[in-house]
Amino acid sequence: RIYEYIKENIVYDYDKAAGDVTGYVPDPDQTLSSGKGICFDYASLAAAMLRSQGIPAKVITGYVSDGAVYHAWNMIYLKESGWITVEIKAPANEWERIDLTFAANGADETTIGDGTDYVDRYVY
């Protein structure tokens, strides 16, 4: 439900992404009220929503596409069931990477890749 909500209600903010986001700190409430954000906003909103439901979630920033793109995404931990997002399946009882920015913007497995091109830098 969280995935579907973000996918249907948050759009990518290309103007914000084109500006200087050095030191940017996301605000999930602002993302909800504006209905738009960059990858850090998507990941922070998803983490806040997941955590509010008792689902452990991490926000991770780092690099994708062989270090060419600085990005933010989530990792979730589900005890009883997996979660599917853009051809990525999250097995039970394991941490699994999910990327709501790409998912919400209609990316497919050719954009996401197999997850091996993500390099974690910071974990929140």
Side-chain angles (χ1 to χ4, degrees):
R1 290 184 195 165
I2 292 168
Y3 163 78
E4 290 297 328
Y5 180 86
I6 292 174
K7 180 180 166 192
E8 298 299 322
N9 293 283
I10 308 298
V11 297
Y12 195 78
D13 188 341
Y14 290 96
D15 291 334
K16 184 187 284 185
D20 182 12
V21 293
T22 303
Y24 176 71
V25 177
D27 179 348
D29 291 328
Q30 175 62 31
T31 304
L32 277 174
S33 65
S34 69
K36 60 185 179 177
I38 59 175
C39 58
F40 206 178
D41 298 308
Y42 277 84
S44 296
L45 176 59
M49 294 174 83
L50 288 160
R51 291 169 181 164
S52 78
Q53 297 302 305
I55 300 170
K58 296 178 182 181
V59 175
I60 302 172
T61 60
Y63 295 92
V64 295
S65 301
D66 295 325
V69 178
Y70 196 69
H71 189 47
W73 60 89
N74 299 97
M75 289 190 84
I76 60 170
Y77 186 84
L78 300 175
K79 291 181 182 179
E80 297 175 2
S81 64
W83 191 47
I84 300 172
T85 177
V86 192
E87 301 299 319
I88 298 172
K89 295 184 180 182
N93 296 309
E94 293 182 27
W95 282 98
E96 185 68 28
R97 183 181 323 275
I98 58 172
D99 193 327
L100 286 168
T101 307
F102 288 148
N105 286 289
D108 61 18
E109 65 275 2
T110 62
T111 304
I112 304 296
D114 63 4
T116 60
D117 59 350
Y118 285 72
V119 178
D120 300 354
R121 183 163 180 205
Y122 299 106
V123 178
Y124 306 95

